[in-house]
Short mmCIF file of all heavy atoms in Angstrom, two decimals:
data_model
loop_
_atom_site.label_atom_id
_atom_site.label_comp_id
_atom_site.label_asym_id
_atom_site.label_seq_id
_atom_site.Cartn_x
_atom_site.Cartn_y
_atom_site.Cartn_z
N ARG A 1 129.09 -33.53 -72.52
CA ARG A 1 128.50 -33.84 -71.22
C ARG A 1 129.34 -33.24 -70.08
O ARG A 1 128.81 -32.88 -69.03
CB ARG A 1 128.34 -35.34 -71.03
CG ARG A 1 129.64 -36.13 -70.95
CD ARG A 1 129.32 -37.63 -70.94
NE ARG A 1 130.48 -38.47 -70.69
CZ ARG A 1 131.36 -38.83 -71.62
NH1 ARG A 1 131.20 -38.38 -72.86
NH2 ARG A 1 132.38 -39.61 -71.32
N TYR A 2 130.64 -33.10 -70.29
CA TYR A 2 131.48 -32.47 -69.28
C TYR A 2 131.32 -30.95 -69.30
O TYR A 2 131.32 -30.30 -68.25
CB TYR A 2 132.95 -32.82 -69.51
CG TYR A 2 133.28 -34.29 -69.41
CD1 TYR A 2 134.37 -34.83 -70.10
CD2 TYR A 2 132.53 -35.15 -68.61
CE1 TYR A 2 134.70 -36.17 -70.01
CE2 TYR A 2 132.84 -36.50 -68.52
CZ TYR A 2 133.93 -37.00 -69.22
OH TYR A 2 134.24 -38.34 -69.13
N VAL A 3 131.19 -30.40 -70.49
CA VAL A 3 131.05 -28.94 -70.63
C VAL A 3 129.84 -28.43 -69.85
O VAL A 3 129.91 -27.42 -69.15
CB VAL A 3 130.94 -28.54 -72.11
CG1 VAL A 3 130.60 -27.05 -72.25
CG2 VAL A 3 132.24 -28.85 -72.84
N ARG A 4 128.74 -29.13 -69.96
CA ARG A 4 127.51 -28.70 -69.29
C ARG A 4 127.69 -28.64 -67.77
O ARG A 4 127.35 -27.63 -67.14
CB ARG A 4 126.36 -29.64 -69.65
CG ARG A 4 125.05 -29.33 -68.92
CD ARG A 4 123.93 -30.21 -69.42
NE ARG A 4 124.30 -31.61 -69.47
CZ ARG A 4 124.31 -32.43 -68.39
NH1 ARG A 4 123.98 -31.95 -67.20
NH2 ARG A 4 124.65 -33.70 -68.52
N VAL A 5 128.23 -29.70 -67.18
CA VAL A 5 128.37 -29.71 -65.73
C VAL A 5 129.46 -28.74 -65.28
O VAL A 5 129.39 -28.16 -64.19
CB VAL A 5 128.64 -31.14 -65.20
CG1 VAL A 5 127.46 -32.04 -65.46
CG2 VAL A 5 129.91 -31.72 -65.79
N ALA A 6 130.48 -28.53 -66.12
CA ALA A 6 131.54 -27.59 -65.77
C ALA A 6 131.00 -26.17 -65.68
O ALA A 6 131.32 -25.42 -64.75
CB ALA A 6 132.68 -27.66 -66.79
N ARG A 7 130.16 -25.80 -66.64
CA ARG A 7 129.58 -24.45 -66.62
C ARG A 7 128.74 -24.23 -65.37
O ARG A 7 128.83 -23.19 -64.70
CB ARG A 7 128.73 -24.23 -67.87
CG ARG A 7 129.54 -24.00 -69.14
CD ARG A 7 128.68 -23.40 -70.24
NE ARG A 7 129.47 -23.12 -71.43
CZ ARG A 7 129.33 -23.74 -72.59
NH1 ARG A 7 128.40 -24.68 -72.73
NH2 ARG A 7 130.09 -23.43 -73.62
N GLU A 8 127.92 -25.21 -65.03
CA GLU A 8 127.08 -25.09 -63.85
C GLU A 8 127.94 -24.99 -62.59
O GLU A 8 127.64 -24.20 -61.67
CB GLU A 8 126.15 -26.30 -63.75
CG GLU A 8 125.11 -26.38 -64.87
CD GLU A 8 124.32 -27.67 -64.84
OE1 GLU A 8 124.62 -28.54 -63.97
OE2 GLU A 8 123.41 -27.84 -65.67
N ARG A 9 129.00 -25.76 -62.55
CA ARG A 9 129.86 -25.77 -61.37
C ARG A 9 130.56 -24.42 -61.18
O ARG A 9 130.60 -23.88 -60.07
CB ARG A 9 130.90 -26.88 -61.53
CG ARG A 9 131.94 -26.95 -60.42
CD ARG A 9 132.98 -27.99 -60.76
NE ARG A 9 133.93 -28.18 -59.68
CZ ARG A 9 134.99 -28.95 -59.78
NH1 ARG A 9 135.23 -29.62 -60.90
NH2 ARG A 9 135.83 -29.08 -58.76
N ILE A 10 131.12 -23.88 -62.25
CA ILE A 10 131.87 -22.64 -62.15
C ILE A 10 130.96 -21.47 -61.80
O ILE A 10 131.32 -20.60 -61.00
CB ILE A 10 132.64 -22.37 -63.45
CG1 ILE A 10 133.70 -23.46 -63.66
CG2 ILE A 10 133.29 -21.00 -63.45
CD1 ILE A 10 134.32 -23.47 -65.03
N GLU A 11 129.77 -21.45 -62.39
CA GLU A 11 128.82 -20.37 -62.09
C GLU A 11 128.43 -20.34 -60.62
O GLU A 11 128.09 -19.29 -60.07
CB GLU A 11 127.58 -20.53 -62.97
CG GLU A 11 127.82 -20.16 -64.43
CD GLU A 11 126.62 -20.48 -65.30
OE1 GLU A 11 125.60 -20.96 -64.75
OE2 GLU A 11 126.69 -20.27 -66.53
N SER A 12 128.47 -21.49 -59.96
CA SER A 12 128.09 -21.56 -58.55
C SER A 12 129.26 -21.34 -57.60
O SER A 12 129.08 -21.31 -56.38
CB SER A 12 127.45 -22.92 -58.24
OG SER A 12 128.39 -23.96 -58.38
N THR A 13 130.47 -21.17 -58.14
CA THR A 13 131.66 -20.97 -57.32
C THR A 13 131.75 -19.53 -56.86
O THR A 13 131.61 -18.59 -57.65
CB THR A 13 132.94 -21.33 -58.11
OG1 THR A 13 132.89 -22.70 -58.48
CG2 THR A 13 134.19 -21.08 -57.27
N LEU A 14 132.00 -19.32 -55.58
CA LEU A 14 132.11 -17.98 -55.02
C LEU A 14 133.56 -17.54 -55.03
O LEU A 14 134.47 -18.29 -54.65
CB LEU A 14 131.57 -17.96 -53.57
CG LEU A 14 130.09 -18.29 -53.40
CD1 LEU A 14 129.73 -18.27 -51.92
CD2 LEU A 14 129.22 -17.30 -54.16
N GLU A 15 133.78 -16.29 -55.47
CA GLU A 15 135.13 -15.74 -55.46
C GLU A 15 135.50 -15.32 -54.04
O GLU A 15 134.66 -14.88 -53.26
CB GLU A 15 135.21 -14.53 -56.38
CG GLU A 15 134.87 -14.82 -57.82
CD GLU A 15 134.90 -13.57 -58.68
OE1 GLU A 15 135.85 -12.79 -58.53
OE2 GLU A 15 133.96 -13.37 -59.46
N LEU A 16 136.82 -15.43 -53.71
CA LEU A 16 137.30 -14.91 -52.45
C LEU A 16 137.29 -13.38 -52.51
O LEU A 16 137.52 -12.80 -53.56
CB LEU A 16 138.72 -15.39 -52.17
CG LEU A 16 138.92 -16.90 -51.96
CD1 LEU A 16 140.39 -17.20 -51.72
CD2 LEU A 16 138.10 -17.39 -50.77
N ASP A 17 137.00 -12.72 -51.37
CA ASP A 17 137.04 -11.27 -51.40
C ASP A 17 138.48 -10.80 -51.47
O ASP A 17 139.43 -11.54 -51.25
CB ASP A 17 136.30 -10.67 -50.20
CG ASP A 17 136.92 -11.03 -48.87
OD1 ASP A 17 138.16 -10.97 -48.74
OD2 ASP A 17 136.17 -11.39 -47.94
N GLU A 18 138.66 -9.53 -51.80
CA GLU A 18 139.99 -9.00 -52.08
C GLU A 18 140.94 -9.14 -50.90
O GLU A 18 142.11 -9.45 -51.07
CB GLU A 18 139.88 -7.54 -52.51
CG GLU A 18 141.20 -6.95 -52.99
CD GLU A 18 141.04 -5.54 -53.55
OE1 GLU A 18 139.88 -5.14 -53.76
OE2 GLU A 18 142.05 -4.87 -53.75
N SER A 19 140.45 -8.92 -49.69
CA SER A 19 141.34 -9.00 -48.53
C SER A 19 141.83 -10.42 -48.30
O SER A 19 142.97 -10.64 -47.90
CB SER A 19 140.61 -8.50 -47.28
OG SER A 19 139.47 -9.31 -46.99
N ALA A 20 140.99 -11.41 -48.59
CA ALA A 20 141.39 -12.80 -48.40
C ALA A 20 142.40 -13.25 -49.44
O ALA A 20 143.10 -14.23 -49.26
CB ALA A 20 140.17 -13.72 -48.45
N MET A 21 142.49 -12.51 -50.56
CA MET A 21 143.39 -12.88 -51.64
C MET A 21 144.84 -12.57 -51.34
O MET A 21 145.74 -13.04 -52.02
CB MET A 21 142.98 -12.16 -52.93
CG MET A 21 141.73 -12.71 -53.56
SD MET A 21 141.96 -14.42 -54.05
CE MET A 21 143.35 -14.24 -55.13
N LYS A 22 145.11 -11.77 -50.33
CA LYS A 22 146.49 -11.40 -50.03
C LYS A 22 147.26 -12.62 -49.53
O LYS A 22 146.77 -13.41 -48.73
CB LYS A 22 146.54 -10.29 -48.98
CG LYS A 22 145.97 -8.97 -49.48
CD LYS A 22 146.04 -7.91 -48.41
CE LYS A 22 145.45 -6.60 -48.90
NZ LYS A 22 145.46 -5.55 -47.87
N THR A 23 148.48 -12.78 -50.01
CA THR A 23 149.32 -13.90 -49.60
C THR A 23 150.67 -13.36 -49.15
O THR A 23 151.04 -12.22 -49.41
CB THR A 23 149.55 -14.90 -50.75
OG1 THR A 23 150.20 -14.22 -51.83
CG2 THR A 23 148.23 -15.47 -51.23
N MET A 24 151.42 -14.23 -48.46
CA MET A 24 152.77 -13.87 -48.07
C MET A 24 153.62 -13.71 -49.32
O MET A 24 153.55 -14.52 -50.24
CB MET A 24 153.37 -14.96 -47.17
CG MET A 24 152.65 -15.12 -45.84
SD MET A 24 152.89 -13.70 -44.75
CE MET A 24 154.60 -13.92 -44.31
N THR A 25 154.42 -12.66 -49.37
CA THR A 25 155.29 -12.44 -50.51
C THR A 25 156.74 -12.61 -50.10
O THR A 25 157.08 -12.54 -48.93
CB THR A 25 155.09 -11.02 -51.08
OG1 THR A 25 155.36 -10.07 -50.04
CG2 THR A 25 153.68 -10.84 -51.60
N SER A 26 157.58 -12.83 -51.07
CA SER A 26 159.00 -12.94 -50.80
C SER A 26 159.51 -11.65 -50.19
O SER A 26 159.13 -10.55 -50.61
CB SER A 26 159.75 -13.24 -52.10
OG SER A 26 161.15 -13.07 -51.91
N LYS A 27 160.40 -11.76 -49.23
CA LYS A 27 160.96 -10.55 -48.63
C LYS A 27 161.69 -9.72 -49.68
O LYS A 27 161.83 -8.51 -49.55
CB LYS A 27 161.89 -10.93 -47.48
CG LYS A 27 161.15 -11.38 -46.23
CD LYS A 27 162.11 -11.66 -45.10
CE LYS A 27 161.38 -11.86 -43.77
NZ LYS A 27 160.43 -12.93 -43.78
N ARG A 28 162.17 -10.38 -50.74
CA ARG A 28 162.86 -9.64 -51.79
C ARG A 28 161.92 -8.72 -52.54
O ARG A 28 162.34 -7.78 -53.18
CB ARG A 28 163.52 -10.62 -52.77
CG ARG A 28 164.66 -11.44 -52.18
CD ARG A 28 165.31 -12.24 -53.29
NE ARG A 28 166.41 -13.04 -52.80
CZ ARG A 28 166.31 -14.31 -52.44
NH1 ARG A 28 165.14 -14.91 -52.50
NH2 ARG A 28 167.36 -14.99 -52.02
N THR A 29 160.62 -9.04 -52.53
CA THR A 29 159.66 -8.23 -53.29
C THR A 29 159.07 -7.10 -52.46
O THR A 29 158.37 -6.26 -52.99
CB THR A 29 158.51 -9.10 -53.81
OG1 THR A 29 157.69 -9.50 -52.71
CG2 THR A 29 159.02 -10.32 -54.53
N GLN A 30 159.34 -7.07 -51.15
CA GLN A 30 158.77 -6.04 -50.31
C GLN A 30 159.51 -4.72 -50.50
O GLN A 30 160.70 -4.70 -50.82
CB GLN A 30 158.85 -6.46 -48.84
CG GLN A 30 157.99 -7.68 -48.52
CD GLN A 30 158.13 -8.10 -47.07
OE1 GLN A 30 159.00 -7.62 -46.36
NE2 GLN A 30 157.28 -9.00 -46.63
N PRO A 31 158.81 -3.60 -50.31
CA PRO A 31 159.48 -2.30 -50.43
C PRO A 31 160.63 -2.20 -49.44
O PRO A 31 160.57 -2.70 -48.32
CB PRO A 31 158.37 -1.30 -50.08
CG PRO A 31 157.09 -2.03 -50.28
CD PRO A 31 157.38 -3.47 -49.98
N ARG A 32 161.70 -1.56 -49.87
CA ARG A 32 162.85 -1.39 -48.99
C ARG A 32 162.49 -0.40 -47.88
O ARG A 32 161.95 0.67 -48.15
CB ARG A 32 164.06 -0.87 -49.77
CG ARG A 32 165.31 -0.73 -48.92
CD ARG A 32 166.50 -0.29 -49.75
NE ARG A 32 167.66 -0.08 -48.91
CZ ARG A 32 167.93 1.04 -48.24
NH1 ARG A 32 167.10 2.07 -48.34
NH2 ARG A 32 169.01 1.15 -47.49
N VAL A 33 162.78 -0.77 -46.64
CA VAL A 33 162.46 0.08 -45.50
C VAL A 33 163.74 0.37 -44.73
O VAL A 33 164.32 -0.52 -44.10
CB VAL A 33 161.45 -0.59 -44.55
CG1 VAL A 33 161.15 0.33 -43.36
CG2 VAL A 33 160.17 -0.97 -45.28
N PRO A 34 164.25 1.59 -44.78
CA PRO A 34 165.41 1.94 -43.96
C PRO A 34 165.04 1.87 -42.48
O PRO A 34 163.93 2.25 -42.09
CB PRO A 34 165.75 3.37 -44.38
CG PRO A 34 165.05 3.57 -45.69
CD PRO A 34 163.83 2.71 -45.64
N PHE A 35 165.96 1.40 -41.66
CA PHE A 35 165.70 1.33 -40.22
C PHE A 35 165.39 2.72 -39.67
O PHE A 35 164.56 2.88 -38.77
CB PHE A 35 166.90 0.71 -39.49
CG PHE A 35 166.74 0.65 -38.01
CD1 PHE A 35 165.74 -0.12 -37.43
CD2 PHE A 35 167.58 1.37 -37.17
CE1 PHE A 35 165.58 -0.18 -36.05
CE2 PHE A 35 167.44 1.32 -35.80
CZ PHE A 35 166.43 0.54 -35.23
N GLY A 36 166.01 3.73 -40.25
CA GLY A 36 165.77 5.10 -39.79
C GLY A 36 164.33 5.52 -39.93
O GLY A 36 163.84 6.37 -39.16
N THR A 37 163.62 4.96 -40.91
CA THR A 37 162.21 5.30 -41.07
C THR A 37 161.40 4.91 -39.85
O THR A 37 160.51 5.64 -39.41
CB THR A 37 161.64 4.60 -42.32
OG1 THR A 37 162.33 5.06 -43.47
CG2 THR A 37 160.14 4.89 -42.47
N LEU A 38 161.72 3.75 -39.27
CA LEU A 38 161.00 3.29 -38.09
C LEU A 38 161.28 4.20 -36.89
O LEU A 38 160.41 4.38 -36.03
CB LEU A 38 161.39 1.85 -37.76
CG LEU A 38 161.24 0.83 -38.89
CD1 LEU A 38 161.49 -0.58 -38.36
CD2 LEU A 38 159.86 0.92 -39.53
N VAL A 39 162.50 4.75 -36.85
CA VAL A 39 162.83 5.71 -35.79
C VAL A 39 162.06 7.01 -36.01
O VAL A 39 161.49 7.59 -35.08
CB VAL A 39 164.35 5.97 -35.75
CG1 VAL A 39 164.69 7.00 -34.66
CG2 VAL A 39 165.12 4.67 -35.50
N GLU A 40 162.02 7.46 -37.26
CA GLU A 40 161.34 8.72 -37.58
C GLU A 40 159.88 8.72 -37.20
O GLU A 40 159.35 9.70 -36.68
CB GLU A 40 161.45 8.99 -39.09
CG GLU A 40 162.81 9.45 -39.55
CD GLU A 40 162.84 9.66 -41.04
OE1 GLU A 40 162.15 8.93 -41.78
OE2 GLU A 40 163.56 10.57 -41.49
#
């Protein structure tokens, strides 16, 4: 009885679009940016 309602529920769930999926990441995971690049 749970399986039936679960299937119906999930099928009606809308996925977030790709742009909305972006989240804040740790600064440690960001590409290294030399300050000189910003000057360039």
Side-chain angles (χ1 to χ4, degrees):
R1 66 187 188 278
Y2 298 153
V3 172
R4 176 174 48 80
V5 296
R7 285 196 177 114
E8 294 173 357
R9 176 186 185 186
I10 295 168
E11 287 173 2
S12 66
T13 298
L14 297 178
E15 301 177 45
L16 295 179
D17 62 45
E18 187 174 347
S19 62
M21 287 298 303
K22 294 180 181 178
T23 60
M24 295 291 289
T25 58
S26 168
K27 286 183 170 58
R28 293 186 180 95
T29 71
Q30 294 178 349
R32 183 177 176 275
V33 179
F35 178 64
T37 298
L38 306 187
V39 178
E40 286 179 326

